[in-house]
Amino acid sequence: MRRAFFILVPWATIVVLWYAIHYSGLVNPALVPTPHSVALRFWELAGQRLPRDIWMSTQRVFLGVTLGILLAVPVAFVLGWYREVRGFIDPLLNFFRALPPIALIPLVIVYFGIGETAKVVILFYASFFSGVIVMYEGIAQISPIYVRVARTLGARDFEIFLKVIVPLTVPHMLTALRVALGVAWATLVASELIAAQQGLGSLIQNAASFFQLDIIYVGIICIGFIALAMDLGLRAVARQLVAWQERIA
Amino acid sequence: MSAPAGNKDRIAFDRVSVEFQTAAGPLRVVDDVSYQIGDGEFVAVIGPSGCGKTTMMNIVAGFVEPSSGAVLLDGRPVAGPGPDRGVIFQEYGVFPWLTVKQNIAFGLKLRANRVPQGEREEICARYMRLMGLADFADAWPKTLSGGMRQRLAIARAYSVRPEFLLMDEPFGALDAQTRSAMQDLLLEVLQAEGKTVMLITHSVEEAVYLSNRIIVMTARPTRIREIIEVPFGYPREESLHEKPEFGELRSHVRELVMKEYAVQARQRTRMSD
Ligand SMILES: Nc1ncnc2c1ncn2[C@@H]1O[C@H](COP(=O)(O)OP(=O)(O)O)[C@@H](O)[C@H]1O
Ligand SMILES: [Mg+2]
């Protein structure tokens, strides 16, 4: 009860502020639709294109992040484990990570067209580079004491990998997944803004051409809540998987 | 434990020297050290901190190779770590992602010493009982006190039936009460199943109370300063601490160790000149 109250307070505050801005006279009310008109628009769209938009966007993010992390895991293992390799690869990884995926969109369109592939490629790129760095830095920090203990108990290399390195990597994998999801959502909307018939980005883009501010708000709020839901879901999974950690994510 | 000292060499340091390559050039840590540990002996190695004790233990454990000379186990040079030598590290190294019971079972699930599940359960139960961990079988290590983590590390090392027990300042981080209780527990367990033990410590009291031979090492590069036979039989009890012979031996060892600390301190000031 108390908990629910404390969770609701910040949200309620935002809504109140939002109303205050609308009615304050400081800005042209036409430029800031009221929360209830946005809510109404949400209901209306929920019966039309919105479910499809949400589905398409979520699916793209899911695909891109899954593929990106699937590749990031083995690469991160190699980099985390072999110090010598890291010296060469590290600058390369940081170079590619520093490029905003959005800047690559024009190139991706040239090479992959404007279909689904192009979007998944961009999200894959974004997830891979953000995820791999988080993960291999985590793996590189694994204390060698555990490997030593395992060796004195008789563990061979493959047993050390499976029974020591992998479990110690799970928390870093989850962190990488969260980071990748965040980056992927940010990138997704940009890629949909440019070229897409469906998805929350295209919903926003279409609304912008007709100056339908309330729809833009609906799109933005949906993105926020979906990303929040995914993050909460991941954290719930993390609490189960890494219950052994001193600090729970 | 009951076997007479020195009847058969299990661990033999044969003119062992170790030199590490550091940024400031080669650093000689162990200098031409030879000694033997017989079957069932409990040898304590004592010396100023930083002199090279952990390095010597790491050679026996198979993590460091001597620059010259060799450490022989039953006559054969050490070749890497293995389950015949149980190691208790200074920092315990309890696996945080496994429960107490899973930690103890870890070694028993490895190829090198796999046993059927029934036997595994038995071994786990036995050491949890011995080490007073039975009520914590499913607890995460993060919930355990320092003393309990230490007991878990010992139980885990014992589970794979090592012949040697190598311990690097195992009780250094514990409070005085826990430390004393752990020493008695260790003696008890050793009484039940004898091992050949090499204990590294910086506590003179502990060395005299637990071992049947004390090897006092010099400051770095470390050499043997003196080897001292401890004349007390096993089992030993707390009351041993009060005996005059105990006190005399302790004073003698302490004097040696303090001298080496003084040498070390002089080296340090000379280096900073
Ligand atoms: N791998 C290594 N490389 C370089 N120097 C080392 C290494 N291991 C230990 N040393 C140095 O060797 C000396 C002895 O270390 P150690 O055996 O840990 O001492 P102790 O256990 O007696 O305190 C220390 O000065 C330490 O800094
Ligand atoms: Mg040490």
Side-chain angles (χ1 to χ4, degrees), chain A residues 5 7 10 18 21 38 58-59 79 110 112 115 125 136-137 158 164 190 197 208 216 224 238 249:
Chain A
F5 176 76
I7 289 174
W18 185 352
I21 291 168
V38 172
T58 313
Q59 188 197 335
L79 292 176
V110 170
F112 295 93
Y125 177 95
Y136 95 73
E137 282 181 352
F158 73 95
V164 178
Q197 307 305 310
I216 296 180

Side-chain angles (χ1 to χ4, degrees), chain B residues 144-208:
Chain B
L144 303 183
S145 68
M148 285 161 79
R149 285 182 207 203
Q150 184 58 282
R151 279 181 274 156
L152 177 54
I154 294 176
R156 181 179 58 185
Y158 259 87
S159 71
V160 296
R161 308 273 152 111
E163 297 173 51
F164 305 95
L165 203 55
L166 313 174
M167 298 192 282
D168 190 1
E169 304 195 17
F171 311 133
L174 304 178
D175 62 78
Q177 254 75 45
T178 315
R179 188 181 178 120
S180 158
M182 285 298 301
Q183 290 170 352
D184 288 324
L185 182 61
L186 178 67
L187 285 178
E188 221 173 281
V189 179
L190 284 172
Q191 202 64 37
E193 31 196 297
K195 308 263 182 229
T196 301
V197 185
M198 178 174 170
L199 168 79
I200 284 165
T201 181
H202 57 231
S203 157
V204 175
E205 185 91 25
E206 181 167 283
V208 178

Side-chain angles (χ1 to χ4, degrees), chain B residues 20-22 27 29 48-56 169 220:
Chain B
F20 287 118
Q21 302 308 320
T22 68
L27 177 72
V29 174
S49 64
C51 75
K53 303 183 295 296
T54 299
T55 304
M56 288 200 300
E169 304 195 17
R220 203 180 63 213

Side-chain angles (χ1 to χ4, degrees), chain A residues 210-241:
Chain A
F210 298 103
F211 208 68
Q212 295 165 305
L213 285 175
D214 47 358
I215 296 188
I216 296 180
Y217 274 82
V218 169
I220 291 170
I221 293 170
C222 282
I223 291 167
F225 274 113
I226 296 169
L228 177 66
M230 282 193 171
D231 199 57
L232 285 176
L234 257 182
R235 277 157 72 164
V237 172
R239 264 197 297 279
Q240 293 302 312
L241 281 182

